Amino acid sequence: MSIQINSAFDSGNIEIHTIDGTKAELSIRKDKDSDFFQWFHFRVTCEIGDELELRITGLKDSAYPQGWPNYNACVSEDRDYWGRAESDYDESTGTLSITYTASSNIVWFAYFAPYSIDRHHDLISEVAAVEGVTCRTLGYSLQGQPIDCLTMGNGEKQVWLYARQHPGESMAEWWAEGALEMLTDSADPHARLLLDKCTLHIVPNMNPDGSFRGHLRTNHVGTNLNREWAEPTAEKSPEVLCVRNAMDKSGVDFAMDVHGDEAIPAVFIAGFEGIPSITGEQLEKYHIYRNRLAQRTPDFQTELGYPTASPGKANLTMSTNQVAERFGAVAMTLEMPFKDNRDLPDPEQGWSPERCKLLARDCLATLAEQIETI
């Protein structure tokens, strides 16, 4: 009896070429109106004990082929706990081979642990019910989905935390969930301090259309939202336009744009070094934050990361650069790995939703300790 494979669900993405018993040859569907592809999410119906052999082909042309070596696919049998399935990448053929012994009749595979639109709405509803929290719809995506923003706190410092401009980077919304759990925990001293000193604006998912469609990087019309911040439009990037308009009304003192990186097996942040108006004080505050976070958690490091832009050469279409330039803010892009964390490897789960949520707490605690000088 042959296995069955399906991806016709929220964030599903796979193309089926052949199925032979417990073996299958597959490929990843491109983002709509775009050549980006890397995210996959599908389920396999099988017999308990089946030795699954799943080959995903054509990955030489994927968005980040350097993301496949030393990567193990995420796997779950209950869609709650996500472990890792043994995977091997053949660079010569561009094929990822996933092997897994099923202990359930249904097994789910994904590029990273998915964060569904239903879970997003549950999160928004739960947090919006907390006293002192306001939920705003800043605008709508091209397919009419709300761009939700949760606002809390009474302080003068304006803090913006926003995630999932790139929908396949689902770790970003796991991070946002962890941040919101901390900020609504009345017993957490760092949360209490932040709510006293700041007004916090949290956008857990800036790209709901791409998230639902199973895209890696773009919205419904193939737009990379993190290249739209200089001149967002209602036709191509209303998601960015409504968030930037809200920032213009509130101002921004501190901003964190949360992402995932396909290739680098570590957590790191990228700054705004190349913006035209950069000041020494602004840059110093960024460095203080980065170094304090590295001291606080061994899951964060400063050795691996992106090269910094030369003076005056920052790409102002990108969120972090635009926000730092536009508002004089301390802005940064947080990157988490799709692979395991090189410094603290976990063979069972690799980088996981649980670690995303814990990292969010460390990020906010670090901000709380520095908030007086931001």
Side-chain angles (χ1 to χ4, degrees):
M1 180 177 175
S2 292
I3 60 175
Q4 296 171 300
I5 297 175
N6 184 270
S7 64
F9 46 78
D10 181 347
S11 79
N13 185 328
I14 207 71
E15 297 287 346
I16 304 165
H17 296 289
T18 62
I19 296 177
D20 180 12
T22 60
K23 300 179 180 180
E25 186 162 307
L26 313 165
S27 63
I28 301 173
R29 184 181 67 246
K30 291 181 178 180
D31 292 6
K32 178 178 175 291
D33 299 327
S34 168
D35 287 330
F36 287 116
F37 71 93
Q38 191 115 356
W39 170 265
F40 62 87
H41 182 199
F42 59 92
R43 66 174 236 177
V44 177
T45 306
C46 58
E47 298 293 329
I48 293 174
D50 275 355
E51 300 281 349
L52 305 178
E53 298 180 32
L54 311 170
R55 289 164 42 88
I56 302 179
T57 63
L59 300 181
K60 281 186 177 182
D61 297 322
S62 62
Y64 300 98
Q66 67 272 30
W68 301 113
N70 303 312
Y71 164 81
N72 288 318
C74 293
V75 62
S76 179
E77 295 185 349
D78 61 7
R79 298 208 300 166
D80 181 26
Y81 175 85
W82 287 85
R84 297 282 176 154
E86 184 176 346
S87 307
D88 179 71
Y89 181 62
D90 186 336
E91 293 190 53
S92 64
T93 63
T95 300
L96 183 75
S97 298
I98 304 169
T99 57
Y100 185 75
T101 302
S103 55
S104 173
N105 290 128
I106 301 179
V107 185
W108 303 77
F109 295 90
Y111 190 35
F112 192 79
Y115 198 103
S116 71
I117 294 295
D118 272 351
R119 189 179 183 107
H120 167 85
H121 288 300
D122 288 343
L123 175 67
I124 296 298
S125 298
E126 181 178 347
V127 176
V130 175
E131 184 178 356
V133 177
T134 300
C135 180
R136 295 178 290 158
T137 300
L138 300 183
Y140 295 91
S141 71
L142 285 164
Q143 291 194 293
Q145 296 196 68
I147 306 301
D148 295 312
C149 179
L150 295 156
T151 300
M152 61 194 76
N154 303 299
E156 294 183 0
K157 303 287 187 181
Q158 299 294 322
V159 174
W160 280 83
L161 310 171
Y162 46 105
R164 219 165 171 192
Q165 290 199 74
H166 297 147
E169 297 166 14
S170 55
M171 61 281 289
E173 195 157 6
W174 288 109
W175 184 99
E177 181 177 298
L180 289 165
E181 286 178 353
M182 174 183 173
L183 289 168
T184 54
D185 180 357
S186 60
D188 190 294
H190 289 109
R192 292 169 69 93
L193 178 61
L194 286 172
L195 293 172
D196 180 60
K197 300 293 183 182
C198 306
T199 300
L200 299 108
H201 313 268
I202 300 97
V203 182
N205 189 338
M206 282 194 60
N207 196 339
D209 293 352
S211 299
F212 187 81
R213 291 184 58 86
H215 286 190
L216 172 73
R217 202 162 174 85
T218 65
N219 70 0
H220 181 64
V221 294
T223 301
N224 177 353
L225 295 185
N226 202 27
R227 298 298 184 274
E228 290 288 305
W229 282 74
E231 296 180 351
T233 67
E235 294 73 28
K236 287 183 58 184
S237 49
E239 303 91 345
V240 173
L241 182 61
C242 71
V243 172
R244 203 190 71 174
N245 285 347
M247 288 179 169
D248 283 343
K249 291 180 180 179
S250 70
V252 184
D253 295 300
F254 179 93
M256 182 174 282
D257 179 19
V258 189
H259 286 260
D261 184 89
E262 292 79 1
I264 298 176
V267 180
F268 61 97
I269 58 176
F272 49 89
E273 289 86 351
I275 64 170
S277 68
I278 194 167
T279 66
E281 181 183 8
Q282 186 183 18
L283 189 59
E284 182 184 13
K285 290 176 181 179
Y286 164 73
H287 286 147
I288 289 171
Y289 181 89
R290 184 188 64 183
N291 294 337
R292 278 186 169 176
L293 184 58
Q295 290 175 343
R296 173 172 286 277
T297 171
D299 260 344
F300 179 80
Q301 55 79 59
T302 59
E303 178 189 353
L304 301 178
Y306 300 145
T308 57
S310 302
K313 299 297 184 182
N315 183 350
L316 296 180
T317 70
M318 298 176 68
S319 158
T320 288
N321 292 327
Q322 178 66 212
V323 170
E325 175 73 13
R326 193 179 191 90
F327 302 102
V330 179
M332 60 197 70
T333 305
L334 176 70
E335 298 280 358
M336 293 173 282
F338 281 88
K339 301 178 182 180
D340 203 348
N341 187 335
R342 179 199 67 172
D343 296 330
L344 288 172
D346 178 357
E348 292 297 319
Q349 283 192 282
W351 188 252
S352 65
E354 293 83 356
R355 289 171 83 174
C356 296
K357 293 172 69 172
L358 289 172
L359 177 66
R361 290 179 172 266
D362 286 323
C363 289
L364 290 177
T366 301
L367 176 60
E369 292 171 354
Q370 192 183 347
I371 197 61
E372 295 282 4
T373 59
I374 287 292

